[in-house]
């Protein structure tokens, strides 16, 4: 944090090298977060530039109490929110579209793949705070303390958001598995009848 | 060793990220054999974490600092010109109107100032009603005057009467007379006549 404050002070006094160093330090993690939110390189790149632009033109409003990284993440999330909402369209992937193979192993693989696909799409439809918490925890590898700081909530709330998000996705998986098992059983039964 | 379900859940992510030591890893794997809930959560973690972010390439990263620096400089320049142009477009334009209005204001102020200087300042020895251009018929009665005005008349009359006394000692034999007493002794009509006479003499020069 002290290093960042030093870089910020030098940037404010016109040090171009300090400016470049701050950008290089945070461009990749910010891009990674933004890409996971908007799933598009063009949008992620555009948002990355806007995030840095807003941060550097508003350095005067940065309160040195929080970390610079946290502040950057907050700006990025706020900018990405609108684009993310427009892009969150759930494409129905019904289990009916899954091609059921007679090979149990292939079937199992297919079901697993389809479950993953459904899971990812369901993830995109989670409430914003739950989705962000899951992104930070699972995809960015952040600890709950850091997540709470970025999202400006308590540690308990961050953990609760994570828990609720996981529970929702588990429910979807269970429903999907139940349906797959039902179809698999139906197919096997009809196959046995044909054998006779 | 007891493995608490909550404890295992709290380290599931670290297990998925392969950050646990051998001992903790064994504990988690043992727990997973009997807990469907934790197995489901592990699958969720692995599925979501398995979404790679495509690398846009070295050129993208190398160019980013310069790109952002140019944007920041542009923003600063736009802000300065925005502030001035906002002001000029809304307050000053059209400029010829402002110039005309300013010139008009200056003329008005000059005229009023000139007018103020042109007003005659009252002769301290002259009664105020005379400086207002009152004619003889408008001369107020003594009873209408305040002590200040009477004192002024007194002083003025003393000067005037002294002059008249020099011109016509018989008419105004008041060398040793007390002007105040003489004035107070006159009735309003007499004073009126007196002032009318004085004014007429003044006009004759």
């Amino acid at each position: 944090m002290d290093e960042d404050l030093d870089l910020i002070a030098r940037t404010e006094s016109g040090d171009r090298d300090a400016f470049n160093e701050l950008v290089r330090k945070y461009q990749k993690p910010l891009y990674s977060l933004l890409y996971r939110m908007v799933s598009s390189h063009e949008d992620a790149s555009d948002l990355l530039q806007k995030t840095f632009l807003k941060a550097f033109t508003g350095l005067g409003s940065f309160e040195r109490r929080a970390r610079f990284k946290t502040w950057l993440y907050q700006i990025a999330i706020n900018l990405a929110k609108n684009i993310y909402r427009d892009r969150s369209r759930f494409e129905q992937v019904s289990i009916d579209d899954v091609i059921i193979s007679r090979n149990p192993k292939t079937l199992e693989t297919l079901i697993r793949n389809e479950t993953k696909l459904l899971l990812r799409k369901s993830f995109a439809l989670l409430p914003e705070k739950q989705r962000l918490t899951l992104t930070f925890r699972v995809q960015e590898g952040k600890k709950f303390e850091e997540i709470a700081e970025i999202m400006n909530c308590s540690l308990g709330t961050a953990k609760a958001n994570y828990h609720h998000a996981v529970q929702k996705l588990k429910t979807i998986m269970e429903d999907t598995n139940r349906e797959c098992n039902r179809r698999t059983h139906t197919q096997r039964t009809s196959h046995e009848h044909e054998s006779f | 060793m007891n493995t608490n379900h909550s404890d295992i859940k709290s380290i599931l992510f670290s297990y998925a990220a392969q950050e646990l030591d051998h001992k903790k890893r064994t504990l988690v794997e043992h727990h997973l054999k009997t807990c469907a809930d934790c197995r489901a959560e592990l699958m969720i973690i692995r599925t979501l974490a398995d979404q790679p972010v495509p690398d846009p390439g070295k050129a993208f990263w190398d160019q980013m600092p310069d790109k952002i620096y140019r944007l920041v400089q542009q923003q600063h320049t736009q802000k300065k010109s925005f502030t001035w142009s906002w002001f000029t477009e809304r307050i000053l334009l059209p400029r010829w109107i402002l110039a005309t209005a300013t010139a008009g204001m200056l003329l008005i102020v000059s005229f009023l100032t000139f007018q103020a200087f042109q007003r005659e300042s009252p002769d301290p020895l002259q009664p105020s009603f005379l400086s207002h251009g009152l004619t003889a018929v408008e001369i107020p009665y003594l009873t209408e005057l305040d002590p200040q005005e009477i004192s002024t008349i007194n002083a003025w009359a003393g000067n005037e009467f002294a002059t008249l006394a020099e011109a016509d000692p018989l008419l105004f034999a008041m060398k040793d007379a007390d002007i105040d007493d003489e004035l107070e002794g006159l009735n309003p009509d007499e004073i009126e006549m007196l002032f009318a006479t004085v004014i007429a003499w003044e006009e004759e020069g």
Side-chain angles (χ1 to χ4, degrees):
Chain A
M1 189 172 172
D2 289 337
E3 189 190 326
D4 281 353
L5 290 178
D6 176 59
L7 287 171
I8 289 165
R10 284 165 53 198
T11 301
E12 283 181 312
S13 62
D15 187 340
R16 180 76 185 268
D17 290 334
F19 176 92
N20 290 345
E21 196 173 326
L22 274 173
V23 173
R24 286 196 199 100
K25 188 174 178 181
Y26 292 111
Q27 61 182 358
K28 287 187 180 177
L30 272 179
Y31 176 84
S32 173
L33 169 68
L34 289 167
Y35 184 88
R36 291 190 193 284
M37 290 184 75
V38 299
S39 305
S40 155
H41 168 68
E42 285 73 29
D43 287 339
S45 171
D46 184 52
L47 286 168
L48 181 66
Q49 291 173 49
K50 282 180 179 169
T51 301
F52 277 120
L53 178 63
K54 194 162 183 182
F56 284 117
T57 54
L59 270 180
S61 65
F62 169 55
E63 294 172 3
R64 268 64 169 171
R65 292 175 296 174
R67 292 192 297 167
F68 181 66
K69 183 181 177 183
T70 304
W71 189 58
L72 272 182
Y73 270 107
Q74 287 170 343
I75 294 172
I77 290 167
N78 285 332
L79 287 172
K81 270 179 187 174
N82 291 336
I83 293 182
Y84 186 91
R85 283 183 196 130
D86 293 339
R87 286 182 169 269
S88 281
R89 286 187 302 274
F90 178 65
E91 292 169 19
Q92 287 283 347
V93 177
S94 169
I95 202 68
D96 291 332
D97 297 334
V98 174
I99 300 168
I100 304 293
S101 165
R102 294 182 185 276
N103 186 328
K105 279 197 177 169
T106 311
L107 175 64
E108 194 182 314
T109 306
L110 272 170
I111 291 172
R112 195 164 48 242
N113 290 341
E114 286 304 319
T115 303
K116 283 183 182 177
L117 186 62
L118 196 61
L119 208 58
R120 286 182 183 138
K121 290 186 183 300
S122 303
F123 166 75
L125 294 178
L126 287 172
E128 194 173 270
K129 288 179 181 173
Q130 291 177 14
R131 191 185 65 249
L132 273 172
T133 306
L134 212 49
T135 300
F136 281 127
R137 180 73 180 134
V138 173
Q139 296 177 329
E140 299 287 314
K142 297 199 181 304
K143 294 180 182 174
F144 283 114
E145 288 79 6
E146 200 176 349
I147 294 170
E149 193 184 355
I150 292 170
M151 295 183 66
N152 204 22
C153 65
S154 66
L155 182 61
T157 303
K159 288 182 177 177
N161 284 335
Y162 174 83
H163 173 73
H164 290 135
V166 168
Q167 285 304 117
K168 273 202 181 105
L169 294 177
K170 276 183 193 172
T171 306
I172 292 169
M173 276 176 60
E174 282 165 12
D175 292 343
T176 309
N177 286 336
R178 210 176 294 124
E179 180 62 21
C180 280
N181 288 336
R182 187 190 69 78
R183 287 172 182 272
T184 307
H185 176 74
T186 308
Q187 193 197 17
R188 280 184 182 148
T189 308
S190 67
H191 180 68
E192 283 164 5
H193 283 156
E194 282 173 17
S195 300
F196 287 121
Chain B
M1 187 177 295
N2 291 329
T3 50
N4 187 299
H5 176 69
S6 302
D7 292 337
I8 299 297
K9 271 174 81 73
S10 68
I11 60 173
L12 259 183
F13 174 76
S14 300
Y15 172 77
Q18 299 175 358
E19 294 170 353
L20 295 179
D21 58 32
H22 175 74
K23 190 175 171 184
K24 284 184 179 171
R25 207 164 54 240
T26 308
L27 282 171
V28 171
E29 287 167 357
H30 180 74
H31 179 80
L32 285 173
K33 286 177 184 172
T34 55
C35 182
D37 189 59
C38 285
R39 282 201 302 274
E41 185 163 335
L42 183 63
M43 186 183 177
I44 290 168
I45 291 169
R46 282 177 169 159
T47 303
L48 295 177
D50 195 27
Q51 280 185 292
V53 174
D55 186 357
K58 189 174 179 298
F60 176 84
W61 301 121
D62 290 343
Q63 286 167 17
M64 191 55 65
D66 285 340
K67 211 182 251 187
I68 292 164
Y69 186 79
R70 278 198 302 275
L71 285 171
V72 170
Q73 294 304 307
Q74 233 171 39
Q75 183 94 315
H76 280 141
T77 313
Q78 278 174 5
K79 248 188 197 167
K80 283 182 191 168
S81 61
F82 173 75
T83 310
W84 178 242
S85 67
W86 185 92
F87 181 74
T88 57
E89 284 167 11
R90 283 162 182 73
I91 308 296
L92 295 185
L93 282 183
R95 293 177 189 177
W96 67 267
I97 290 177
L98 178 65
T100 308
T102 307
M105 287 290 292
L106 283 171
L107 276 172
I108 291 167
V109 168
S110 303
F111 178 73
L112 290 173
T113 309
F114 180 73
Q115 285 286 84
F117 278 124
Q118 286 292 75
R119 284 192 206 128
E120 284 182 274
S121 52
D123 186 341
L125 296 183
Q126 191 177 27
S128 59
F129 57 84
L130 284 183
S131 69
H132 292 156
L134 294 173
T135 62
V137 296
E138 294 168 337
I139 295 171
Y141 289 103
L142 270 177
T143 52
E144 294 173 353
L145 302 175
D146 58 36
Q148 176 74 24
E149 286 174 323
I150 290 175
S151 172
T152 306
I153 292 169
N154 219 8
W156 170 80
N159 290 334
E160 294 299 324
F161 291 164
T163 309
L164 289 172
E166 286 169 7
D168 191 345
L170 290 178
L171 185 61
F172 294 100
M174 299 163 81
K175 241 186 182 178
D176 298 321
D178 188 344
I179 300 295
D180 287 333
D181 292 336
E182 289 298 326
L183 276 177
E184 283 178 7
L186 298 175
N187 64 41
D189 289 330
E190 286 170 339
I191 291 185
E192 191 178 330
M193 273 178 55
L194 184 64
F195 284 149
T197 307
V198 169
I199 289 167
W201 281 341
E202 281 184 341
E203 285 173 354
E204 284 172 10

